[in-house]
């Protein structure tokens, strides 16, 4: 029988040549079952890697790309240490590329994959429509983490990790309703936001309706188009305008903790206090909420689970071309602090 090559072993095991190389070189990041299957084939065919195969691991890039939509997003930034630690355990490094609203995530992914010879990409944030079609030429594994896909519908041909933004937003507003609030305003994303802004607004509306409260369009406020959204200033400006308009409300739901920080300033400048005049609830569960005055009640996203699961799904794809896609959805936690009072 003709001597097998590393490509032959990869074909038999239905994995990439790099995965075979990692198994041979005892890479700690490779799936144990995959390693066992590869080494069993290696032993069965008495495969002896040549010097090129031995050095394959050294010449390949072991880098994962994080493509982040939303410059300066503190929630994503809070996940970076988790990505770094988990990828390091598996023998990988990662590079981050933050995208502005105007940049196309698919085009940037294509370019980044070529320039950096990435082993895989994790997309974070933003909105992608029909991603499985637009990314079919990417040719490396990818996972969506906290990305809004087709107005919240799961895409079976892509691996995704996320919370249910509609359900978790409902949880925040229902909490305010159960506290006796009936005039609940929301600071949501821009008018054009078809990602988390749209989804969390849907949760807001659904919660009001289920509690027998009529939805008042005057209480739905969007972040300004002329400044970056989900920032302190966007929350400040939207809340300032809400207060200036003299609209009656007792509670304010801000769909990002960082923007809620801006809302605090606008309320203080208006000579009002939290929670005596207005109750405020945020979303994300940033560490900073504990140190706001008063501490902000918020919906805490499970950042560790989201980051670790995204990596696990990506590694499965890297280890096996035939790995099934998975769609994982995690629950968030309502964190009661000091910014909401009972009516």
């Amino acid at each position: 029988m003709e001597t097998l090559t590393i490509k032959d072993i990869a074909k038999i095991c239905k994995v990439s040549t790099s995965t075979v190389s990692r198994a041979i070189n005892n890479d700690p990041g490779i799936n144990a079952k995959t390693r066992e299957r590869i080494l069993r084939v290696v032993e069965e065919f008495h495969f002896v890697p040549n010097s090129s195969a031995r050095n394959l691991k050294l010449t390949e890039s072991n880098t994962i790309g994080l493509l982040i939509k939303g410059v300066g997003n503190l929630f994503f930034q809070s996940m970076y240490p988790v990505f770094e630690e988990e990828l390091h355990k598996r023998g990988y490094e990662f590079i981050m590329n933050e995208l502005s609203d105007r940049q196309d995530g698919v085009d940037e992914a294509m370019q980044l994959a070529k320039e950096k010879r990435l082993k895989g990409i994790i997309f974070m944030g933003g909105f992608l429509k029909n991603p499985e079609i637009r990314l079919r030429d990417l040719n490396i594994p990818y996972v969506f983490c906290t990305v809004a896909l087709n107005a919240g519908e799961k895409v079976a041909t892509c691996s995704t990790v996320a919370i249910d933004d509609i359900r978790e937003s409902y949880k925040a507003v229902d909490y305010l309703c159960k506290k006796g609030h009936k005039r609940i305003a929301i600071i949501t994303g821009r008018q054009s936001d078809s990602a988390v802004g749209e989804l969390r607004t849907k949760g807001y509306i659904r919660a009001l309706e289920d509690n027998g409260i009529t939805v008042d369009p005057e209480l739905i406020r969007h972040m300004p188009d002329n400044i970056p959204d989900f920032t302190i200033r966007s929350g400040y400006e939207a809340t300032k305008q809400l207060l200036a308009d003299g609209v009656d409300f007792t509670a304010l739901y801000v769909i990002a903790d960082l923007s809620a920080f801006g809302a605090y300033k606008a309320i203080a400048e208006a000579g009002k206090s939290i929670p005596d005049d207005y109750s405020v609830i945020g979303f994300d569960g940033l560490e900073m909420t504990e140190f706001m005055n008063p501490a902000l009640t918020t919906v805490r996203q499970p950042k560790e689970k989201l980051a670790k699961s995204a990596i696990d799904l990506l590694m499965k794809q890297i280890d096996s071309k035939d790995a099934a896609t998975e769609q994982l959805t995690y629950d968030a936690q309502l964190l009661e602090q000091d910014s909401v009072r009972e009516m």
Side-chain angles (χ1 to χ4, degrees):
M1 181 178 178
E2 188 175 335
T3 303
L4 264 66
T5 67
I6 195 169
K7 289 184 178 179
D8 296 323
I9 298 294
K11 190 172 183 180
I12 293 169
C13 297
K14 296 182 178 180
V15 297
S16 65
T17 55
S18 63
T19 300
V20 175
S21 176
R22 289 168 62 209
I24 294 171
N25 286 282
N26 293 316
D27 187 326
I30 193 172
N31 179 276
K33 290 184 179 179
T34 302
R35 180 194 290 111
E36 182 181 345
R37 186 171 78 253
I38 292 170
L39 294 181
R40 190 163 54 243
V41 172
V42 167
E43 182 178 358
E44 179 182 349
F45 290 95
H46 306 290
F47 173 71
V48 178
N50 58 31
S51 59
S52 296
R54 288 194 196 97
N55 292 328
L56 181 60
K57 181 183 175 184
L58 298 178
T59 59
E60 281 195 330
S61 166
N62 250 17
T63 305
I64 302 299
L66 295 183
L67 207 58
I68 304 153
K69 194 80 167 183
V71 177
N73 188 309
L74 286 188
F75 174 67
F76 292 151
Q77 290 178 16
S78 72
M79 295 172 71
Y80 297 165
V82 184
F83 279 114
E84 184 175 27
E85 180 180 356
E86 292 301 312
L87 287 171
H88 181 72
K89 288 179 183 177
R90 292 166 168 79
Y92 285 90
E93 297 179 351
F94 77 95
I95 59 172
M96 296 179 294
N97 193 354
E98 291 189 322
L99 306 179
S100 69
D101 293 334
R102 297 177 180 84
Q103 289 177 283
D104 186 286
V106 174
D107 291 342
E108 291 296 322
M110 298 288 189
Q111 189 65 28
L112 195 64
K114 290 178 182 178
E115 291 179 356
K116 304 298 183 181
R117 297 186 302 116
L118 300 178
K119 293 292 283 293
I121 288 182
I122 296 176
F123 291 87
M124 299 180 66
F127 171 79
L128 285 174
K129 187 175 182 180
N130 300 321
E132 70 279 11
I133 296 175
R134 297 196 65 202
L135 287 166
R136 59 189 171 193
D137 296 325
L138 186 55
N139 294 324
I140 60 172
Y142 60 88
V143 171
F144 295 110
C145 181
T146 69
V147 174
L149 301 172
N150 295 333
E153 295 180 6
K154 301 304 178 185
V155 183
T157 55
C158 303
S159 286
T160 63
V161 181
I163 62 168
D164 185 326
D165 283 290
I166 296 177
R167 184 179 67 205
E168 300 304 336
S169 185
Y170 180 104
K171 183 184 296 181
V173 179
D174 185 63
Y175 170 78
L176 292 174
C177 293
K178 295 298 189 289
K179 288 289 186 179
H181 294 276
K182 299 184 183 300
R183 298 287 297 172
I184 303 170
I186 180 174
I187 303 298
T188 186
R190 293 173 179 165
Q191 189 81 45
S192 60
D193 183 356
S194 54
V196 294
E198 178 181 335
L199 298 176
R200 292 177 189 174
T201 302
K202 286 182 178 180
Y204 161 84
I205 292 172
R206 190 174 298 175
L208 292 181
E209 292 175 341
D210 285 354
N211 281 277
I213 300 172
T214 301
V215 178
D216 183 353
E218 282 293 310
L219 294 176
I220 300 176
R221 297 302 175 115
H222 296 275
M223 295 177 188
D225 290 330
N226 60 339
I227 56 177
D229 53 355
F230 301 104
T231 58
I232 294 175
R233 179 156 294 278
S234 63
Y236 169 77
E237 295 293 348
T239 306
K240 185 177 179 180
Q241 187 61 56
L242 172 66
L243 293 167
D245 289 344
V247 181
D248 176 44
F249 68 100
T250 64
L252 178 63
Y253 168 40
V254 188
I255 71 165
D257 288 342
L258 192 60
S259 296
F261 190 84
Y264 267 45
K265 178 176 174 60
I267 290 171
E269 286 183 350
K272 303 296 183 179
S273 66
I274 303 170
D276 292 337
D277 295 306
Y278 302 113
S279 292
V280 181
I281 190 169
F283 199 107
D284 282 335
L286 298 179
E287 184 181 8
M288 64 176 282
T289 63
E290 182 182 347
F291 301 96
M292 293 168 69
N293 186 23
L296 177 68
T297 293
T298 183
V299 177
R300 176 184 285 166
Q301 295 200 58
K303 63 181 181 182
E304 290 84 5
K305 287 182 180 179
L306 293 169
K308 290 179 181 179
S309 294
I311 292 170
D312 288 341
L313 293 182
L314 190 66
M315 291 301 122
K316 287 180 182 179
Q317 292 186 45
I318 290 174
D319 290 342
S320 174
K321 293 179 179 178
D322 296 330
T325 59
E326 299 179 54
Q327 293 76 45
L328 304 179
T329 304
Y330 290 106
D331 292 331
Q333 174 194 6
L334 181 67
L335 178 62
E336 293 187 73
Q337 298 195 102
D338 304 322
S339 62
V340 175
R341 76 178 181 95
E342 196 158 355
M343 295 295 290

